[in-house]
Amino acid sequence: MYFIIFISIVIIQRLSELYISRQNEKWLLQHGAIEYGHDHYKFIVALHTCFLLSIITEYVLSGQPSIDFIFLGLFVLVLAFKFWALSSLGTYWNTKIYRVPGAYPVKKGPYKIFKHPNYGEVICEIAIIPLVFHLYYTAIIFTVLNAIMLTVRIRVENKVWAQNAN
């Protein structure tokens, strides 16, 4: 029962993020934003979709392991950090890479301290979510795949900000 509740919350959270991203995308485009990194975005979507499917599959195949409340607590802390990071970006936050001409990187909230706090949070999420139910294969495989994907994404994002710095 814990697993069904947990995975449902994770899926609802992800769908909510996509909804917010879409709303922010409309705002960004109305303000002249240009999209970058379109070629790799489909791989990010596939990665996150396969991640959720892997969690469910490994849970079923591994005999429905028990919940680990320590990792659940860590996940809640990671979510709190995520909400702080996303709210600091406001309408600039998106699952895609957009840049409004003349805009500068956000420098408030965790962005005062870290260059890419949301990506750090995503790394933690990908590792911790499966560990809430002792799903080690999913945690390891998708942490590695996510690291590769974020390397590509951060490189594109850094290039966008560097080439448009005035």
Side-chain angles (χ1 to χ4, degrees):
M1 184 61 148
Y2 285 130
F3 180 77
I4 293 170
I5 293 168
F6 179 75
I7 198 67
S8 296
I9 290 169
V10 169
I11 290 169
I12 290 168
Q13 174 217 345
R14 294 288 204 253
L15 292 173
S16 298
E17 289 172 9
L18 289 174
Y19 175 78
I20 292 166
S21 178
R22 182 67 182 132
Q23 296 308 305
N24 288 349
E25 182 177 35
K26 290 176 187 177
W27 182 88
L28 288 162
L29 291 172
Q30 288 172 351
H31 288 84
I34 300 165
E35 182 181 358
Y36 298 89
H38 179 74
D39 293 340
H40 75 262
Y41 184 72
K42 60 185 167 254
F43 296 108
I44 291 174
V45 172
L47 177 84
H48 285 269
T49 301
C50 290
F51 172 66
L52 292 171
L53 293 172
S54 180
I55 290 170
I56 295 166
T57 302
E58 186 177 354
Y59 178 78
V60 170
L61 294 176
S62 61
Q64 302 178 356
S66 63
I67 190 168
D68 184 318
F69 288 102
I70 293 173
F71 278 110
L72 180 61
L74 286 173
F75 175 64
V76 171
L77 289 175
V78 166
L79 277 184
F81 185 83
K82 178 182 211 160
F83 294 137
W84 182 35
L86 299 188
S87 65
S88 297
L89 288 175
T91 52
Y92 288 100
W93 178 78
N94 205 279
T95 58
K96 299 175 183 176
I97 299 173
Y98 280 106
R99 171 101 196 267
V100 175
Y104 294 95
V106 170
K107 294 288 185 193
K108 64 181 182 176
Y111 293 88
K112 285 182 185 177
I113 306 163
F114 306 108
K115 188 170 183 179
H116 298 287
N118 187 50
Y119 297 145
E121 178 280 326
V122 170
I123 291 166
C124 292
E125 257 188 338
I126 295 291
I128 291 171
I129 289 171
L131 294 177
V132 172
F133 286 92
H134 310 278
L135 307 174
Y136 303 108
Y137 292 111
T138 299
I140 293 167
I141 292 166
F142 282 89
T143 296
V144 170
L145 292 174
N146 185 54
I148 294 166
M149 191 71 258
L150 284 179
T151 300
V152 171
R153 184 171 178 92
I154 290 170
R155 200 173 289 145
V156 170
E157 192 169 309
N158 286 343
K159 185 177 176 185
V160 167
W161 285 105
Q163 74 186 14
N164 290 303
N166 293 327

